[in-house]
Amino acid sequence: MENIKLFARIIRPHPSLVILLIFLGLIAAGLEGIGIGLLIPLFDTMTDGVEVPSQGNIYMQFVEKIANTIPTENRQFGLCILILLFIVFKLTIVYAISMLSTWFNGLTGKRLRDELCDRFLHADYGLISSLDRAKLMNAIAVESWRISRSIELIFSICTKFCVILVFICLLFIISWPLSIVTISGVLIILTSNRIITNRVGLLSDKSVLANRNLAQNMMQLLDAMRIIRIFGQESKEEEDFKRNSEQVRTVFLRMYKIFNFQHPFNELQYFVLIFVIILFGGSLDAQFASTLVFLILLYRLQPHVRGLDRDRVELASVKGAIEEVAGLIRFLAESAEPSGHASFSKLSERIVFKNVFFAYPSSDGKQALNGASFMIPKAKVTALVGESGSGKSTTINLLCRLFRPTAGSIFVDREPIENICVDDWRKSLAFAGQDAELIDGSIAENIAYGRPTASLEEIIRAAREVGIDALIEDLPQRYETLVGPRGVRLSGGQRQRISLARALLRHPDTLILDEATNALDSISELEIQKTLQRLAGQLTIIIIAHRLSTIQNADNVVVLKDGRVVEEGSPDNLLASSGHFAKLFQSQAAELDTATPT
């Protein structure tokens, strides 16, 4: 049912095209049938040269009526020209069918890829974060093409079926006893082909799995290249890739062995069938011209039946691809990201976490946040402090609505955050993190990613605010310099500065910095701190930092431990209270003293 629904959704925007293709298929079959039927009067005129007598059935009478409209002295030449014209018209229609089918094939692939991308981008982040990335990449890059090919195959099957239907009708009109013998033989051939089709269907599932494993392997090579080189695991990774590549080769080789066997096997079966028909036709004392046209029709029917079987086998080979994409579309549709309807422009009062609980799906129920309650006031600098695993980044994920609390509530100006339009809410945010995620583009494109309409002057101003403008100006291509995938052509500090410039260029209402300066030296970090001090009071700033020296100018500090808020207040008050924050600060100061050379 899922496969049928997928096909219905693909075909639904173009029902007239389906009808047109079927109609053209019927016309092409009729033209070929008439052209072949005209061979009967042609043979008759070649033998006696007189007006063609009626053969006693509608089909014969029709072609004979056409033949008798041509003067007797020019009948042979005229019938040859007429047959040629019917063939030309038929081939023109076949060409039109092929072009329409090819056009729709490309359109189908595009629509499938677009739908997968759209559903992926709007799916719930918490659900898609656990999605197999190789499965998604394989579905978009490989299986979508195979499904679009399956649509082309369905159209091909429809047109071939129309031709077969017309030809069978003509065969019955010429000789129903011969037609019964023919259909019986064809049914035997189709039964043998059905066994082949079932085998190909099983191999199709294996081909999808093999492609997915290879895609997973390729992604691992790309993502972990640095670690592979550092630990010298090139040989191991190469062996893994060769093994997965060999699995792809093997499963497709097995499928194409069946494809290649089917064609000569069918040829043999049909030749046997033709010999049976000749012998049987002779025993019926059928007229030579009629028997000959019957055989010609049967001969022309052969490739259509073989093509129909071949298309069915190939359609069976993409069964796995159809199920893969249909299942992925269904999963993404069911995991659409929820969005409220309340509009939002900027923060008026505060953000409040009230008894918030959250556990990641892969954490076996361990709470990343365990009843956390605290407040983030408007236009203030709020710092989230704690050891690794205390819940700081989880807080940011919930604030950005990448995940939803498993219990408790987050309020924005007394409005539950889930009631606010998610697009409006995220437009008010800007984020710079320790990973400094960059796109594979130029420096200018990365800085302007959060605000694509920004001018070059605004991009340069943002770069100047984070102290990276001079470095960019020294590059040969300046702001058009390509950073490479994930920014691999830049250092960690350079990536973080570009990430900060991107966040500042967005002119956010709330700026979130998650360890956004941990790759910078002390002088560079001081420059960033000056920029943040200038912005203080103009926007709400939320900072996560392990280096507590970077948050001394914060208005409010929230101290987290094991997902709970253990302290909250100004840095000075927390230091004076000798609590958890003071201990963290003293521990870092002691480490710095130990590391300082004497």
Side-chain angles (χ1 to χ4, degrees), residues 104-292:
F104 191 72
N105 178 24
L107 182 64
T108 298
K110 178 184 181 301
R111 289 183 60 234
L112 276 175
R113 292 189 296 274
D114 292 350
E115 181 173 359
L116 282 169
C117 180
D118 178 70
R119 290 187 183 277
F120 175 75
L121 289 174
H122 294 90
D124 184 88
Y125 183 84
L127 291 175
I128 64 171
S129 60
S130 60
L131 184 67
D132 185 349
R133 291 194 303 159
K135 180 178 181 179
L136 179 67
M137 188 177 78
N138 183 56
I140 294 176
V142 179
E143 309 305 347
S144 63
W145 280 108
R146 297 180 70 193
I147 289 182
S148 63
R149 170 59 180 161
S150 71
I151 299 296
E152 186 177 5
L153 287 171
I154 289 175
F155 285 138
S156 177
I157 288 172
C158 289
T159 54
K160 286 183 175 68
F161 179 79
C162 292
V163 172
I164 292 170
L165 184 63
V166 171
F167 276 27
I168 288 176
C169 291
L170 295 178
L171 290 173
F172 265 95
I173 291 173
I174 294 173
S175 174
W176 66 265
L178 286 178
S179 299
I180 292 176
V181 172
T182 302
I183 291 175
S184 300
V186 170
L187 287 176
I188 294 173
I189 295 171
L190 291 177
T191 302
S192 65
N193 285 334
R194 182 62 184 268
I195 299 172
I196 297 175
T197 303
N198 292 337
R199 178 59 180 162
V200 172
L202 295 175
L203 290 174
S204 172
D205 295 335
K206 294 182 179 180
S207 71
V208 172
L209 180 61
N211 272 329
R212 188 192 307 168
N213 290 338
L214 184 62
Q216 178 71 54
N217 203 160
M218 292 170 62
M219 292 183 64
Q220 180 174 320
L221 290 178
L222 294 173
D223 291 345
M225 183 58 69
R226 186 166 178 262
I227 297 299
I228 292 170
R229 296 294 179 86
I230 291 174
F231 285 92
Q233 294 300 307
E234 292 91 345
S235 297
K236 173 185 175 299
E237 295 297 336
E238 184 178 1
E239 287 301 317
D240 290 344
F241 183 86
K242 286 180 178 179
R243 183 175 61 255
N244 289 322
S245 181
E246 176 64 19
Q247 288 176 351
V248 172
R249 186 193 72 84
T250 301
V251 70
F252 277 95
L253 177 62
R254 292 170 65 187
M255 280 205 302
Y256 282 105
K257 277 182 180 178
I258 297 176
F259 286 148
N260 294 333
F261 168 77
Q262 186 191 26
H263 179 70
F265 183 60
N266 278 345
E267 287 281 353
L268 177 61
Q269 293 181 98
Y270 279 110
F271 271 117
V272 171
L273 179 59
I274 288 173
F275 291 143
V276 171
I277 291 170
I278 292 173
L279 295 175
F280 189 72
S283 66
L284 293 175
D285 295 327
Q287 292 183 0
F288 172 76
S290 297
T291 303
L292 184 60

Side-chain angles (χ1 to χ4, degrees), residues 7 86 89 102 138 167 171 223 354 427 499 511:
F7 282 128
F86 274 108
F89 290 154
T102 302
N138 183 56
F167 276 27
L171 290 173
D223 291 345
K354 186 176 181 181
K427 285 177 182 177
S499 177
L511 176 63

Side-chain angles (χ1 to χ4, degrees), residues 438-570:
L438 302 182
I439 62 170
D440 187 6
S442 67
I443 291 175
E445 288 172 332
N446 273 278
I447 294 177
Y449 188 77
R451 191 168 147 237
T453 57
S455 64
L456 180 60
E457 290 74 17
E458 291 174 307
I459 293 172
I460 294 173
R461 191 180 308 119
R464 192 173 294 130
E465 286 182 328
V466 298
I468 198 175
D469 177 58
L471 183 146
I472 296 173
E473 292 292 341
D474 288 338
L475 296 173
Q477 294 178 296
R478 302 176 66 214
Y479 283 86
E480 295 305 314
T481 301
L482 299 177
V483 303
R486 301 176 65 87
V488 295
R489 297 176 185 172
L490 303 176
S491 68
Q494 291 168 347
R495 291 198 298 270
Q496 283 199 337
R497 289 194 187 195
I498 290 175
S499 177
L500 283 164
R502 177 175 61 194
L504 295 178
L505 181 62
R506 191 169 168 84
H507 299 318
D509 180 56
T510 300
L511 176 63
I512 302 172
L513 305 176
D514 184 1
E515 298 286 0
T517 60
N518 65 347
L520 302 181
D521 55 67
S522 299
I523 296 175
S524 299
E525 185 181 11
L526 183 60
E527 294 177 1
I528 303 299
Q529 290 297 326
K530 290 179 180 178
T531 299
L532 296 179
Q533 288 176 20
R534 180 178 57 80
L535 295 172
Q538 301 178 36
L539 65 159
T540 304
I541 301 177
I542 303 171
I543 299 176
I544 293 177
H546 278 106
R547 289 189 290 192
L548 302 183
S549 58
T550 63
I551 61 171
Q552 292 185 35
N553 295 320
D555 299 296
N556 186 48
V557 176
V558 177
V559 184
L560 293 164
K561 183 179 182 181
D562 298 328
R564 294 184 174 89
V565 177
V566 295
E567 288 180 314
E568 185 175 1
S570 66

Side-chain angles (χ1 to χ4, degrees), residues 1-16:
M1 283 303 297
E2 290 297 331
N3 299 348
I4 293 173
K5 289 178 181 178
L6 179 62
F7 282 128
R9 185 164 60 250
I10 292 170
I11 295 173
R12 190 181 301 126
H14 305 278
S16 58

Side-chain angles (χ1 to χ4, degrees), residues 321-342:
I322 295 169
E323 293 174 351
E324 177 95 346
V325 174
L328 185 59
I329 288 177
R330 184 180 67 253
F331 171 80
L332 294 175
E334 293 171 352
S335 59
E337 183 179 47
S339 176
H341 301 287

Side-chain angles (χ1 to χ4, degrees), residues 30-41 55-66 166 169-174 293-294 297:
L31 289 172
E32 184 170 4
I34 295 171
I36 293 173
L38 286 172
L39 292 173
I40 295 176
Q55 300 290 327
N57 60 58
I58 298 174
Y59 175 58
M60 299 298 187
Q61 291 173 2
F62 178 72
V63 295
E64 290 162 4
K65 187 176 182 179
I66 295 176
V166 171
C169 291
L170 295 178
L171 290 173
F172 265 95
I173 291 173
I174 294 173
V293 169
F294 187 96
L297 280 171

